[in-house]
Amino acid sequence: MLAATLLLSGCSGGLYDFSTDPGTSTACRALVTSLPATVADQPATPVDSARVAAWGDPRIVLRCGVRQPAELQPTSRCDDVDGIGWFTQKRDGGRLFTTIGRDPDVSVEVPAGYRPAGTALVDVADAVRAGSTADDPCV
């Protein structure tokens, strides 16, 4: 499957720099607009993208329409959080969670220091569930 790369100049931290699955922009726009104002007790921070939302400082970042990570294998662990399956990767002391079996796929990056990191997943679960379909959920 081909991916389009969304690159916006002048953005730091790679917030907007990620490969996206084609045809997900409408669903992502709806998902992002339905996200809560606070995640992990952190207020929303402004972003300039219909596919990205962020909260707090350092930022907890949700990206919609992401591609599945290459590290995700059929034998990978799938953590069910409020009915959403997530693949977890350690990143710079924090965690990167990517949905498993949803369309469009969503990632949530939780920096080190937010404990427990899964609280962010609980907070976004309703919006992710409503804004994406379960193709192949955790079993």
Side-chain angles (χ1 to χ4, degrees):
M1 185 174 353
L2 296 176
T5 301
L6 178 64
L7 295 172
L8 299 178
S9 62
C11 301
S12 63
L15 195 64
Y16 306 107
D17 181 7
F18 63 100
S19 295
T20 61
D21 279 334
T24 60
S25 62
T26 300
C28 286
R29 196 171 313 117
L31 189 151
V32 167
T33 60
S34 70
L35 288 164
T38 60
V39 167
D41 294 325
Q42 300 299 307
T45 59
V47 295
D48 187 19
S49 172
R51 292 182 178 269
V52 178
W55 301 264
D57 183 18
R59 288 180 170 187
I60 296 168
V61 179
L62 179 141
R63 294 176 179 91
C64 183
V66 299
R67 305 245 2 228
Q68 287 288 312
E71 297 86 356
L72 178 61
Q73 301 297 313
T75 57
S76 296
R77 183 172 133 177
C78 180
D79 297 311
D80 185 297
V81 178
D82 284 356
I84 308 293
W86 298 94
F87 175 62
T88 305
Q89 297 172 279
K90 291 182 181 178
R91 294 271 172 100
D92 299 324
R95 300 282 188 271
L96 176 65
F97 302 97
T98 306
T99 56
I100 296 175
R102 301 215 55 99
D103 184 27
D105 282 304
V106 172
S107 71
V108 178
E109 185 177 350
V110 182
Y114 291 106
R115 301 273 190 256
T119 299
L121 304 182
V122 172
D123 292 345
V124 301
D126 287 343
V128 171
R129 190 179 312 99
S132 63
T133 58
D135 290 339
D136 189 16
C138 289
V139 289

